[in-house]
Amino acid sequence: MKRNSYINYIIEKGINLQPNQTVEIVSSSYLKDFVFDLRKACLKKGASFVYIKYIDGKDLESKINDDYDILKDIEHYKGLIKEGFARIVIQSPFMIPMVIETNRKKEYQNKLKQLIFVNDYFNNLESQRTICLAANPYWASKLNITIEQLWDIIFDYSLFNDEMSIYKDYLNGLNINKIIFKNSLGTNLEVVLTSNFTFQDKHQITPRGVKFQPNIPCLELYTAPNKYNVNGVVVSSKPIYYYGETINDYKIEFKDGKIIDSINLNKVLDKDESLLYAGEIALVRYSESINLYSTLLNENLCSHIGLGYAYPYGIKELDKINKSQYHVDLFFGTKDLECLAVCEDENIYIMKNGEFIYEK
């Protein structure tokens, strides 16, 4: 029953499927049962066609090893964009890695950069896309639970209705210039925001007026900071899972927006210069939990800062936010986190003890 409710939520709330719209499902090939159920439900609810793109598996390995032809995909996606297609991306940590030579893998990744226009299509809200989760036995084993218990965790988080719009409207009415974050772990961070920004919640709207949910679940309020006006220290409160590796006890220091010192994050920061700058600051009610080994789940448990790509939603000064191909969330929210908003007329605490404060 919950599985059907979850699938319906992905289609109706996630991408908000429109009549006769084309859909692409991006997934691991090891999740075929869930993918087929999702595809069947999309067609039943009015999709004109559902493409399935697997990001791993023997077929893709063979294609890459035989010299992957990116031109076919470029033409394919140009056609899909003309049709106004929607996309569902299914994430599932700890899947089986592909067996590909290192050089072949690098060539493949370089070729994929030619498809950046597809990411731009969705990042510019030209159509709906959503990212959601699916359970697998390897992930369940890492958490030392059954796959049924893991599905229940995904269902409970994804279907939980925590309406943030009232608090979002309250924050957006404060005319906040800067937020100061402090906790007992050592985080002491000042984040200057752009002019006339608005905090975002789980919903976005396309130019055609179609409301959708980019992330399932989403219990955060977020915006992009001024790229060159982030200062102070961030100390980790939860591990991150990065390309198969768990990174604990990380720490970074910003000066004039740029990271000038770090601990245990070289693998992340060395990937690209743009990851030395922040692209997101997110306010989240703190929740006690084990490490769930999924950014999509962990980012709903505590406040965090995102390095790299800045979501442009609700931003007027687009020249003052970070641009990147990458986005990595770092968690610093704790049970004693305090957030002080520096506003035009006064300073107001908007979070205390890891909880939102709403002054009516």
Side-chain angles (χ1 to χ4, degrees), residues 8 11 19 38 70 88 100 111 124 138 150 172 185 190 198 229 234 259 262 265 276 313 331 351:
N8 289 336
I11 297 170
L38 186 56
I70 188 68
I88 299 170
I100 305 171
K111 287 179 179 180
N124 293 334
Y138 311 105
L150 178 54
N172 286 336
L185 289 180
E190 294 191 4
T198 54
N229 222 328
V234 172
I259 295 174
S262 68
L265 283 175
L276 296 175
Y313 316 139
F331 309 108
M351 292 188 79

Side-chain angles (χ1 to χ4, degrees), residues 18-46:
Q18 299 299 291
N20 299 313
Q21 189 171 25
T22 302
V23 177
E24 179 189 55
I25 299 174
V26 181
S27 170
S28 166
S29 62
Y30 299 95
L31 302 171
K32 286 183 178 179
D33 288 346
F34 182 70
V35 169
F36 288 166
D37 286 347
L38 186 56
R39 176 182 179 274
K40 183 178 178 181
C42 284
L43 292 170
K44 187 176 181 180
K45 291 180 180 295

Side-chain angles (χ1 to χ4, degrees), residues 83-125:
E83 296 176 15
F85 85 111
R87 172 183 273 178
I88 299 170
V89 178
I90 303 171
Q91 292 187 353
S92 193
F94 299 104
M95 298 308 299
I96 301 172
M98 289 190 290
V99 182
I100 305 171
E101 293 180 10
T102 302
N103 289 338
R104 286 286 189 183
K105 186 175 182 180
K106 287 181 179 178
E107 289 175 10
Y108 173 64
Q109 291 173 337
N110 285 333
K111 287 179 179 180
L112 288 181
K113 292 178 182 179
Q114 297 179 59
L115 295 176
I116 191 69
F117 67 92
V118 184
N119 291 335
D120 292 341
Y121 166 73
F122 289 111
N123 289 336
N124 293 334
L125 303 179

